[in-house]
Amino acid sequence: MHASARLLRRLSSSSSARSLRRLPCHPSPSPPPHPSHLPPLRTVTRALLPHLAAPRFSTISCASTPSLRLGECGAPGTPAIPLAENSEGEEEAESVAARHDTDAFAAVELALDSVVKVFTVSSGPNYFLPWQNKAQRESMGSGFVISGKRIVTNAHVVADHTFVLVRKHGSPTKYKAEVQAIGHECDLALLTVESEEFWEGMNSLDFGDIPFLQEAVAVVGYPQGGDNISVTKGVVSRVEPTQYAHGATQLMAIQIDAAINPGNSGGPAIMGDKVAGVAFQNLSGAENIGYIIPVPVIKRFISGVEESGKYSGFCSLGISCQATENIQIRECFGMRPEMTGVLVSRINPLSDAYKILRKDDILLEFDGVPIANDGTVPFRNRERITFDHLVSMKKPEETAVIKVLRDGKEHELNVTLRPLQPLVPVHQFDKLPSYYIFAGFVFIPLTQPYLHEFGEDWYNASPRRLCERALRELPKKAGQQLVILSQVLMDDINVGYERLAELQVKKVNGVEVENLKHLCSIVENCTEENLRIDLDDERVIVLKFQNARLATSRILKRHRIPSAMSSDLVDEQASKETNEVGRGLLESPMSPSVAAGSSLADLVLTEGRGGLQQIRRTQVLHPEL
């Protein structure tokens, strides 16, 4: 691990001391070049998070500017000019300091009736044992009120929540809150509180603009170290797309030098009397380097929720690009000296760009904005950001106009943008993992959270083949999953197969597996005597189907597993069998085994295949305070 690597951390505090976990590297556009380039991202909020490579900032050495002494500037021999006791520079510095103090004081007054403390009880899933959750834990964060009686906070503050409470400043009472919408990619969430008593005396904050460099901001929240509200002030030092540690995505972020600590997560950064952003992570190993989510990202999240009623996601063009800073590559692809752009190297088959762009196209402009050879576009006052920011600010299903150079000719093309999901999910918060158990073989879809269970050094400790596929492969069609055999629960039926684990399932009875639901359907509808499962290392599993089906129920009982499949697969099987039973009722008289007052649902429970009879009587109970 490089000593110079700096680490992004998400910032909510936990009531119990936990070991810090290293976050996996997000390869959404591209995987890390080498395991040694994977600095750990740490968090004190979640026990299990997607991995994300922290940005590696190169150090630029600058020539030092010689200090000028009085009498050395201007014409030779110019006499030194004595400074007055109160020079203009000192007066300006005092004025700036006074303005900063005023802004901080105004921020405190503004925040007293707007910023709340968020208490979360959460329970994340156990990906090695997907039918059960990990131990319940408590964490704390911050939030603030906006118009419409809503509270903005970070997604990682309430991820995998089972119970959420909020408390306003100066009140001893905690009020129950509900999560209205949550966007893990942008690390934002909206909470609502039903109690009218909570809203008495509360004021909503308004959003401002992106602050300029060196503008003062005040971060308000409830960091660790105390129970009351806290205010830290600093200035904006950088505005650019940054890796979001929680969502494993790259969106615009604002770097500030204010002290942001665990528990500040979700609190507002106030500039003047308006919100400039939401505190969400800091840089480990650095002095007072924190990050806030800027207003454009917040507004894009809120507008998507208002329009669709749920989180709509951030758009992606679905391409990987290569810089064209080398003059030889520009000449090879026919770029004239005045042209700038980037080379399209890979296209996601599920994107609209797959039907429009081609490999080796030169992307020249996006919505009329010229793209530089390093992939950046102009931004504000002589600043530059990657053109991905323009893409991410588009609404789903919105059209963009792109100009490309193909075979020496320029073309203007229209492309529809939408959020795209990777073949292997980077994170799976707020949902139970899918699994299917047959004859003691545990099948799951490959996810990065599963790989993270191998420990802090998961990139080297997890199975190499699975890790490479998780970081590099693109989906070929919608709904595709990499299904793996994660482990074998020992029984007489599977003796000799106990070491076949952490392997991808290629085929079942000669049929290529598309996803876990497809595998479940093939197995459940098997009509052959033998069930054959082909794995990715050319090994094979062969079972007597009827014997394996009978063995499944005793294996579940022995290991105290409530069901042979996750709830999403149960719902699909129930729907299928309901249709089958319904057709049977229309075609044949009522079976004598069905009581006179039985409903169709009762019939499905009694007529279900195999372990489904037991499964549908089981429901998941979430712990509450």
Side-chain angles (χ1 to χ4, degrees):
M1 199 62 60
H2 296 296
S4 61
R6 295 176 293 175
L7 316 174
L8 295 174
R9 296 183 302 172
R10 296 170 307 155
L11 308 170
S12 74
S13 61
S14 173
S15 61
S16 59
R18 299 180 63 89
S19 59
L20 299 179
R21 298 293 305 276
R22 193 171 87 169
L23 302 179
C25 174
H26 175 233
S28 265
S30 61
H34 190 272
S36 63
H37 294 163
L38 292 172
L41 299 177
R42 302 177 185 272
T43 175
V44 291
T45 316
R46 316 280 0 126
L48 187 62
L49 292 173
H51 193 76
L52 170 66
R56 292 175 285 114
F57 301 103
S58 57
T59 303
I60 302 176
S61 58
C62 302
S64 59
T65 304
S67 58
L68 296 177
R69 293 178 296 174
L70 294 176
E72 290 185 345
C73 56
T78 303
I81 302 174
L83 292 175
E85 281 190 42
N86 292 317
S87 65
E88 292 183 6
E90 290 177 344
E91 291 178 355
E92 182 178 354
E94 291 175 358
S95 174
V96 170
R99 186 169 67 252
H100 285 189
D101 290 340
T102 303
D103 289 343
F105 179 78
V108 174
E109 291 298 315
L110 188 67
L112 290 180
D113 296 326
S114 304
V115 180
V116 300
K117 190 169 186 177
V118 182
F119 302 84
T120 304
V121 179
S122 59
S123 179
N126 185 336
Y127 287 90
F128 276 165
L129 304 173
W131 49 87
Q132 66 184 37
N133 277 5
K134 293 181 178 179
Q136 177 177 284
R137 60 189 302 271
E138 299 177 6
S139 59
M140 294 172 289
S142 306
F144 62 95
V145 176
I146 63 171
S147 61
K149 292 187 175 182
R150 296 169 295 178
I151 298 172
V152 174
T153 187
N154 282 145
H156 74 258
V157 172
V158 294
D160 291 323
H161 66 278
T162 58
F163 205 75
V164 180
L165 298 170
V166 295
R167 189 187 70 194
K168 55 185 180 180
H169 175 68
S171 172
T173 307
K174 299 176 183 177
Y175 300 87
K176 184 178 179 180
E178 299 291 340
V179 179
Q180 179 187 10
I182 187 166
H184 293 288
E185 286 78 12
C186 59
D187 202 358
L188 290 169
L190 286 178
L191 310 181
T192 58
V193 179
E194 291 185 3
S195 174
E196 291 298 329
E197 179 184 347
F198 169 82
W199 297 106
E200 294 177 2
M202 296 296 288
N203 296 325
S204 61
L205 296 178
D206 298 324
F207 293 110
D209 298 320
I210 301 176
F212 286 89
L213 301 183
Q214 288 300 302
E215 283 199 284
V217 295
V219 178
V220 187
Y222 293 87
Q224 64 182 9
D227 195 45
N228 285 330
I229 201 167
S230 169
V231 180
T232 56
K233 60 178 181 177
V235 297
V236 174
S237 54
R238 183 180 287 130
V239 180
E240 64 182 2
T242 302
Q243 296 284 4
Y244 281 38
H246 176 73
T249 51
Q250 185 162 337
L251 297 170
M252 179 181 282
I254 300 172
Q255 179 183 316
I256 61 176
D257 67 355
I260 300 180
N261 297 302
N264 271 122
S265 287
I270 298 177
M271 184 177 64
D273 61 347
K274 295 186 182 297
V275 174
V278 177
F280 75 117
Q281 63 189 26
N282 68 11
L283 202 57
S284 177
E287 292 291 334
N288 291 345
I289 295 182
Y291 294 89
I292 61 176
I293 303 172
V295 170
V297 176
I298 303 171
K299 287 185 174 179
R300 172 68 188 79
F301 165 72
I302 294 176
S303 65
V305 173
E306 291 175 343
E307 291 175 5
S308 62
K310 60 181 181 179
Y311 173 64
S312 56
F314 283 75
C315 291
S316 171
L317 193 55
I319 63 175
S320 297
C321 296
Q322 178 183 342
T324 59
E325 296 172 295
N326 186 284
I327 189 172
Q328 298 165 97
I329 196 173
R330 292 199 298 270
E331 291 176 352
C332 176
F333 288 97
M335 296 178 67
R336 298 189 297 273
E338 70 277 8
M339 282 185 173
T340 61
V342 290
L343 178 67
V344 177
S345 56
R346 194 162 67 153
I347 309 174
N348 190 322
L350 300 186
S351 67
D352 190 58
Y354 189 76
K355 299 176 288 186
I356 298 172
L357 296 177
R358 299 178 188 171
K359 179 177 168 56
D360 293 345
D361 280 349
I362 301 294
L363 188 58
L364 304 174
E365 295 180 4
F366 183 88
D367 271 348
V369 181
I371 301 173
N373 293 329
D374 63 351
T376 62
V377 294
F379 175 67
R380 299 196 313 186
N381 182 26
R382 295 192 299 173
E383 298 174 69
R384 300 192 70 84
I385 58 174
T386 59
F387 81 95
D388 290 337
H389 171 66
L390 303 180
V391 179
S392 65
M393 290 297 102
K394 288 282 192 177
K395 296 181 179 179
E397 305 303 325
E398 194 172 352
T399 300
V401 180
I402 56 177
K403 180 184 286 188
V404 300
L405 179 68
R406 180 183 299 165
D407 299 328
K409 297 180 181 179
E410 295 184 30
H411 304 271
E412 278 199 356
L413 307 171
N414 294 326
V415 59
T416 302
L417 304 176
R418 59 179 63 92
L420 297 174
Q421 299 300 322
L423 174 61
V424 178
V426 182
H427 56 73
Q428 283 195 315
F429 298 107
D430 303 317
K431 63 181 296 186
L432 297 175
S434 297
Y435 70 91
Y436 174 59
I437 302 174
F438 185 78
F441 296 94
V442 181
F443 302 101
I444 63 171
L446 178 61
T447 63
Q448 282 202 30
Y450 168 77
L451 297 176
H452 304 162
E453 295 280 14
F454 284 89
E456 193 169 319
D457 192 24
W458 68 272
Y459 187 87
N460 295 312
S462 61
R464 175 59 53 198
R465 291 190 303 275
L466 299 183
C467 189
E468 290 300 318
R469 288 168 186 164
L471 298 178
R472 302 181 188 282
E473 285 195 20
L474 292 174
K476 297 179 181 178
K477 53 185 175 181
Q480 182 183 357
Q481 292 177 326
L482 297 184
V483 180
I484 64 172
L485 169 61
S486 65
Q487 60 179 304
V488 180
L489 306 176
M490 281 301 299
D491 185 77
D492 291 340
I493 194 73
N494 53 45
V495 170
Y497 296 137
E498 60 271 11
R499 295 188 179 181
L500 298 181
E502 301 158 6
L503 298 169
Q504 182 183 350
V505 179
K506 289 291 190 178
K507 297 179 180 180
V508 176
N509 283 351
V511 180
E512 290 192 7
V513 174
E514 298 178 0
N515 50 49
L516 186 61
K517 290 183 178 180
H518 185 217
L519 180 145
C520 177
S521 177
I522 297 174
V523 174
E524 290 293 317
N525 295 307
C526 178
T527 57
E528 301 178 19
E529 180 182 359
N530 292 329
L531 182 73
R532 172 172 171 153
I533 301 173
D534 290 82
L535 306 176
D536 65 344
D537 63 348
E538 307 303 330
R539 283 187 275 189
V540 176
I541 297 172
V542 178
L543 300 168
K544 295 292 184 182
F545 179 70
Q546 292 300 333
N547 294 341
R549 171 187 279 181
L550 294 175
T552 299
S553 59
R554 71 168 177 263
I555 294 172
L556 295 178
K557 183 177 180 181
R558 180 186 304 133
H559 291 272
R560 300 176 184 176
I561 301 174
S563 63
M565 61 183 74
S566 54
S567 58
D568 56 333
L569 301 182
V570 171
D571 294 339
E572 181 172 298
Q573 289 292 327
S575 176
K576 176 189 285 188
E577 293 196 10
T578 299
N579 294 334
E580 291 177 356
V581 173
R583 286 196 298 270
L585 289 175
L586 294 175
E587 297 172 359
S588 61
M590 181 70 70
S591 170
S593 64
V594 181
S598 296
S599 64
L600 187 60
D602 296 329
L603 183 63
V604 174
L605 285 173
T606 57
E607 296 290 335
R609 178 187 292 118
L612 282 167
Q613 179 175 342
Q614 177 185 356
I615 295 168
R616 296 193 192 105
R617 292 198 179 104
T618 306
Q619 51 183 332
V620 179
L621 300 178
H622 296 284
E624 296 184 355
L625 288 178

